[in-house]
Structures are given as structure tokens and as C-alpha cells.
Amino acid sequence: MNLDAFTRTSGEWLRGIGPDSDIVMSSRIRLARNLAQFPFINRCTESTLGEIEQLMRPIITSLPMEEKLSYLDVNKLSNLDRQFIVERQLISREHAERTGPRGVGLDSEENIGIMVNEEDHLRLQVLRSGFSLNECWDTINQIDDLLEQQVTYAFSEEFGYLTACPTNVGTGIRVSVMLHLPALVITKEIQKVFQALQKINLAVRGLYGEGSQAMGDFYQISNQVTLGQTEQQLIDSIKEVVPNIISYERRVRNSLIKENRQGLHDQVSRAYGILSTAQTISSEETMHLLSSVRMGVNLGLIEDLPISAVNEMFIFTQPAHLQKLQGGELESSERNAARANYLRQRISDASSSH
């Protein structure tokens, strides 16, 4: 698998084609699994990690699916390439920062990822554009079944799937939805959403999951508990809550337009203007301005920019993506100039072809 080719493409989840994709950037389901014959990762020696990786690599690449998965040896990747696939949401930060034998199986659409030797022996994930939890579940359930035909999972009749972290014991499932909520942030209504979610045991995180900041007004909402409920019940609990947040964000956007169309249009146009002309720009400012532009596109205030281009810009302006595009490592100031250059070019190309 050639990672440089990824700089010329983007995953299906960035294309803005799924249900409710004006608000929901992506849906993801992740399963944590361990192999019965090996100790948990934190008790494994380097050679045991190597055994797990050698066992799983051929199994993953020969899974009888429509499209065969490619395999990346994460241990052999440069720091830049590891950071690149973290930004791409293909592996977790923890997986990138670990040491020792580890890898990941991926499909060409970037919907499927199977991490080997992350916090657990296996971390399966399926990622899709828009509010598509049922599709995520159908795919990941199929992959889980195919793997279980070839390996024996660590499973207890009493507790369910056994995992390295107690919070994942049971189903081992993490159901999450990435929401873009700029109107709730502008009106400071977002705190009400946080409080309501806390009461029903749902976690709110930033763009890159646990421990990450909410950049660009993106919030990842996911279940915290995996024990005592079935997978379908946990999926349904997220499916019940998210439509309320979607309609809340839409209502607030519409009232912003009604009450102060000119002011909102000005904010969006200024953001678009800066992104189109800046000579140097930080990652933080880019995320903030792109958030306004993304809302503007979805409200019809900007007409010459497809939503897929805006979604891609959130990812392609991240540090490792910029460095991959430039062909080498860059200092912070060089990245800021490269980021501005990329944005000017991308917006010019997108608006002229739209």
C-alpha cells in the first residue's frame, strides 16, 4: 500500500454523501477484541507481539470480502507516515505512539480498519459518511464473524468479550458520530447539549477522539458503557439522541439566518475571503474559518464550493498531510505558509470546477 497515493484521494467518509451529512460528518463503530491464547497487550513481550502480528496479517489480508484488505506494517512507518494515517482517522493516536510489532488492515475506500496490537490485540473499525450507523454495524458485524471463524476470542459467559480496559468489557463496542455544530457554539447553546449527554452516559470528545480538543466545532458523541446492553441497544441509544441534536443545530442555524442574515453572511464571507487569500495561516485558525465556511456552504451562503472539498480541507491542512504533500518535514512557519498555499489552490480549483 502506497501512502503517497493517499495524498491524491480522500476516504468515502469525507465526501459528504451520507444521510444528514450537513451536520453529521461521519459515523463510526469500533469493536475491541482479544485472542484467547495470548495475554493482554500490556503483559505481552516483544516476541509475543510479533507472534500476534504474524498470525493476524495473513488472516486479515485473505478475509473473504468483496474487496481484499491491504496491510500496513505500522512499526516500520516513519513518524510522519504514522501521524498521517492518524490524521486520516485510519489508526488511533495510541496505535501510532506504541512500540513493537503492530499493523493495520485497510480497504481502498478507507471505510474499514483492523488495528493489530493497539490497546487490545484487535481493534476493528468501520467509518462512513453521514449518519449511517446501521451500515457501519452491518459491515463490522460481518468482519467480526469472519475473523471469529479463524481465531478464538477471549470471551466469558458472564462478562462477554474480555478487554484490556474494563470500560470496554462486554460488547467491546464504541459507537460514535462526528457532528459539526457551529450554530450551537456561536449561540453558546452547546453547553446544554453537553449537560444533557452527560446525564445519559454519553461521552463528548474532539475531532481525534479521547483527549483531543473540539477543533472546527466538531464533536464526537459516543457511548461510555459497553457492559449490560446488547450491541443493538447501544447503537439505538445513539440513534435516538443524535436526531435531536441535528434538529437543534438546524433550528439554531435557521434562526441565525432569520434574525441576522447579513451578519452571518458577513462572517462566512470573511472566513472564505481569508482562506482564499492568506499567505500564512495556523492550523487552529484554519479549522475555525473552515467551520464557518462549511456552515455557509450548507446554508447556501456560498455556492461555488462543494462540501466534499471543505471536508477534505479540514484533513489536508493538518501537519502531516501538508508535509506529505510537500514531500518532507517542515518547520511550523513553513507549514503555515504551505497550508495557506494549499488552501488558496484548493479553493480556486474547487470553485472554478463547481
Side-chain angles (χ1 to χ4, degrees):
M1 176 175 269
N2 176 12
L3 279 184
D4 291 338
F6 277 52
T7 60
R8 297 186 290 278
T9 62
S10 69
E12 182 270 348
W13 65 279
L14 285 170
R15 289 180 203 149
I17 51 178
D20 299 305
S21 53
D22 55 329
I23 312 277
V24 183
M25 177 84 126
S26 61
S27 300
R28 176 168 61 185
I29 295 185
R30 189 212 72 199
L31 295 176
R33 298 287 185 259
N34 287 282
L35 307 176
Q37 73 268 41
F38 295 103
F40 285 141
I41 291 287
N42 58 356
R43 306 295 296 273
C44 281
T45 61
E46 182 103 358
S47 68
T48 312
L49 292 174
E51 273 181 69
I52 295 165
E53 208 251 347
Q54 280 169 358
L55 170 71
M56 291 312 304
R57 185 191 292 231
I59 291 174
I60 288 167
T61 52
S62 60
L63 284 175
M65 294 163 60
E66 275 179 43
E67 184 199 342
K68 295 282 185 227
L69 300 185
S70 302
Y71 191 88
L72 274 177
D73 187 333
V74 175
N75 197 36
K76 288 186 178 160
L77 295 178
S78 67
N79 285 339
L80 181 60
D81 280 344
R82 285 201 282 267
Q83 181 56 35
F84 177 75
I85 55 175
V86 169
E87 290 174 0
R88 203 64 165 231
Q89 307 273 5
L90 299 175
I91 66 169
S92 63
R93 246 192 344 229
E94 293 74 21
H95 199 43
E97 289 166 4
R98 279 186 181 279
T99 55
R102 64 204 189 286
V104 62
L106 301 168
D107 72 326
S108 62
E109 284 285 278
E110 302 177 37
N111 291 132
I112 298 167
I114 303 176
M115 288 179 263
V116 179
N117 291 342
E118 200 241 23
E119 183 181 57
D120 295 283
H121 300 147
L122 297 173
R123 283 284 176 96
L124 288 54
Q125 79 161 19
V126 171
L127 189 61
R128 287 204 180 276
S129 171
F131 192 27
S132 311
L133 287 173
N134 288 349
E135 291 86 344
C136 289
W137 173 244
D138 290 346
T139 305
I140 206 164
N141 198 23
Q142 180 204 2
I143 295 166
D144 193 35
D145 289 348
L146 289 171
L147 286 169
E148 205 161 12
Q149 288 167 18
Q150 302 199 55
V151 297
T152 304
Y153 286 147
F155 185 84
S156 146
E157 287 301 326
E158 186 181 354
F159 297 113
Y161 293 101
L162 302 177
T163 54
C165 180
T167 58
N168 289 319
V169 168
T171 54
I173 195 172
R174 174 67 54 81
V175 183
S176 65
V177 175
M178 180 87 71
L179 298 160
H180 184 225
L181 305 173
L184 293 175
V185 173
I186 290 169
T187 56
K188 301 191 167 49
E189 298 286 302
I190 196 77
Q191 283 311 122
K192 286 184 193 168
V193 175
F194 292 166
Q195 283 158 5
L197 291 170
Q198 243 171 353
K199 281 179 189 162
I200 51 172
N201 270 334
L202 295 181
V204 183
R205 300 188 167 99
L207 189 60
Y208 290 101
E210 211 157 349
S212 69
Q213 296 297 307
M215 300 189 294
D217 305 324
F218 283 105
Y219 295 91
Q220 212 180 96
I221 292 167
S222 60
N223 63 299
Q224 281 185 300
V225 179
T226 66
L227 187 63
Q229 289 181 289
T230 66
E231 290 93 345
Q232 198 57 58
Q233 285 172 324
L234 290 162
I235 293 166
D236 288 345
S237 68
I238 300 278
K239 278 173 64 182
E240 279 165 30
V241 169
V242 169
N244 297 329
I245 302 172
I246 293 172
S247 61
Y248 193 7
E249 171 70 18
R250 284 203 186 119
R251 274 201 315 278
V252 175
R253 286 184 189 190
N254 290 334
S255 67
L256 283 173
I257 279 269
K258 275 199 191 109
E259 289 161 23
N260 188 10
R261 185 185 177 91
Q262 200 176 13
L264 193 64
H265 202 165
D266 183 64
Q267 179 193 326
V268 167
S269 301
R270 281 171 189 267
Y272 190 37
I274 294 169
L275 292 169
S276 309
T277 57
Q279 300 300 303
T280 175
I281 192 165
S282 71
S283 182
E284 205 171 321
E285 189 182 7
T286 301
M287 296 294 278
H288 177 66
L289 296 173
L290 279 174
S291 179
S292 288
V293 167
R294 190 178 192 278
M295 177 173 63
V297 171
N298 283 319
L299 289 173
L301 301 173
I302 296 173
E303 291 175 357
D304 59 353
L305 203 56
I307 201 68
S308 56
V310 183
N311 288 350
E312 283 178 14
M313 283 187 253
F314 278 105
I315 303 301
F316 276 79
T317 53
Q318 299 295 315
H321 271 75
L322 286 172
Q323 291 173 94
K324 288 289 283 181
L325 287 166
Q326 294 291 316
E329 294 194 11
L330 301 172
E331 295 292 321
S332 176
S333 60
E334 294 171 320
R335 284 203 303 272
N336 290 348
R339 184 177 292 110
N341 190 37
Y342 167 81
L343 286 163
R344 290 196 310 274
Q345 191 66 51
R346 190 78 176 81
I347 289 169
S348 167
D349 291 350
S351 53
S352 61
S353 64
H354 193 53

